[in-house]
Amino acid sequence: MTAPKTHRSFHDPVMVDEIAEVFATVGGGLFVDATLGGGGHAELLLRQHPQRRLLGVDRDPEAIAAARERLAPFADRVTLCCEPFDRLGELIDAAACGPLVGVLFDFGVSSHQLDTGERGFSHRHDAPLDMRMDPRTGRDAGYVVNRYGFDELRALLRRHAGERHAGRIAAAIVAARPLCSTCQLVDVVTSAVPAAARRARRHPAMRTFAAIRIEVNDELNLIDPALRAALSRLAPRGRLATLAYHSGEDSIVKIILREAADGVCQCPSTLPCICGAEPSVRLLRRKVTRPSAAEVERNPRAASALLRAAERLEPAHR
């Protein structure tokens, strides 16, 4: 399937052929794009079947505005909500648009957010330390950089980015305070790491920026409740797909989907099972699917994408 055209500065939707294949057998009903972005995947899903309705969710007001323009030809089938996706359960319930037959999550930061320099997501642009996906709410990157203690900074760099030099970077940040701009943060991190790390293929500040962004937006903690809300509301034979770009994201998805597929019992191991645990989904792919070499060549930012997908089982099979 041909990828939808890129809208404004929003990225090409990733793995469109694979996403189209996941949902090819799903007919009409309610679809949820829980991470709407510029609406590229949403457009694909709406074009795929004329009886689909779409609930598009994104906490970034700029994404909602761009998607509204892009999806204007389908306006009578589209509802857009500027909300974080951990509110997905109540948003689906409020939509009341028939059975939920498809859900898509495309986690992480968008190309639009990285390329909009003044929002502070990228180490490549000089900007205030912000990094909020929803600029209307919450603490920004400046708060994390200037208010977190050494132990907190070191822990988040290790937890969110697997940063080998977390201690050195955290100590350098604390010593250099106050920091007000992304360029200041880049200089501090670059000076803190060993010379060999400065010569590496990746910019030495890339992991630090990713870790702080994840912390600012509480990205990993939102995934579990959102996935569970979606799975519990998915109609039989409905399908769910996730695109992760970070090992932390994918690990959460993997655990939840495998628990649902295995019917993991929650009862104490020393007592008989009374929770009625049975499989509720089947995994469409036991292992992750990665983008093709051709797609990575065309869109290098797709290189780290990891696709997982599952189908809700019929009651008779549970």
Side-chain angles (χ1 to χ4, degrees):
M1 179 173 290
T2 302
K5 293 181 180 179
T6 306
H7 181 86
R8 286 157 56 177
S9 62
F10 282 84
H11 65 285
D12 291 324
V14 173
M15 300 184 73
V16 289
D17 290 340
E18 292 84 353
I19 293 295
E21 180 184 355
V22 168
F23 294 111
T25 62
V26 180
L30 176 63
F31 267 70
V32 172
D33 187 336
T35 46
L36 185 64
H41 286 122
E43 181 184 358
L44 164 74
L45 296 172
L46 288 164
R47 290 191 184 280
Q48 199 175 35
H49 197 288
Q51 299 303 315
R52 289 177 181 170
R53 296 189 59 83
L54 180 91
L55 172 61
V57 179
D58 203 296
R59 56 175 151 176
D60 188 338
E62 292 183 10
I64 292 292
R68 180 172 284 112
E69 183 178 337
R70 180 175 195 155
L71 302 177
F74 313 96
D76 61 334
R77 295 197 276 142
V78 172
T79 301
L80 303 182
C81 296
C82 191
E83 299 284 353
F85 60 62
D86 64 329
R87 294 192 58 213
L88 200 58
E90 59 189 283
L91 295 175
I92 293 170
D93 294 343
C97 293
L100 177 63
V101 296
V103 182
L104 174 64
F105 290 90
D106 185 4
F107 299 116
V109 66
S110 71
S111 291
H112 173 77
Q113 289 164 335
L114 288 171
D115 294 338
T116 306
E118 62 268 23
R119 297 188 64 176
F121 283 98
S122 174
H123 63 275
R124 300 179 186 277
H125 306 285
D126 189 18
L129 287 168
D130 194 328
M131 302 192 196
R132 291 173 296 172
M133 292 181 174
D134 183 350
R136 305 167 301 176
T137 61
R139 63 191 178 190
D140 59 14
Y143 181 93
V144 173
V145 168
N146 290 302
R147 301 288 294 274
Y148 275 30
F150 167 79
D151 290 337
E152 292 174 293
L153 286 170
R154 180 178 60 181
L156 76 88
L157 290 169
R158 289 174 173 171
R159 181 172 65 251
H160 296 331
E163 174 56 66
R164 293 174 56 194
H165 309 295
R168 297 175 65 154
I169 293 170
I173 289 173
V174 171
R177 289 170 174 168
L179 298 175
C180 300
S181 73
T182 54
C183 275
Q184 287 179 311
L185 180 58
V186 167
D187 289 344
V188 168
V189 174
T190 302
S191 299
V193 301
R198 295 196 292 271
R199 295 192 296 268
R201 181 175 59 87
R202 288 188 175 185
H203 193 285
M206 185 179 294
R207 290 181 183 274
T208 296
F209 271 68
I212 294 171
R213 185 205 82 226
I214 290 169
E215 181 74 9
V216 165
N217 296 288
D218 201 23
E219 294 176 37
L220 300 184
N221 287 333
L222 303 186
I223 295 175
D224 185 292
L227 267 181
R228 294 186 190 279
L231 287 170
S232 69
R233 289 165 172 80
L234 200 60
R237 302 187 69 182
R239 292 188 169 188
L240 177 145
T242 66
L243 285 165
Y245 303 84
H246 177 278
S247 60
E249 297 164 347
D250 186 60
S251 294
I252 296 168
V253 173
K254 178 180 176 180
I255 289 170
I256 293 173
L257 291 186
R258 289 198 171 172
E259 283 181 355
D262 295 341
V264 176
C265 176
Q266 302 298 320
C267 300
S269 59
T270 56
L271 298 175
C273 175
I274 60 171
C275 70
E278 293 181 339
S280 58
V281 304
R282 71 177 181 93
L283 302 181
L284 300 179
R285 294 168 168 81
R286 199 70 190 178
K287 296 183 178 180
V288 293
T289 302
R290 299 177 183 271
S292 66
E295 177 169 4
V296 173
E297 183 176 0
R298 183 176 68 252
N299 178 17
R301 285 179 174 171
S304 57
L306 303 170
L307 171 64
R308 294 185 186 274
E311 181 180 81
R312 183 79 182 196
L313 294 175
E314 294 276 4
H317 297 155
R318 287 192 268 144

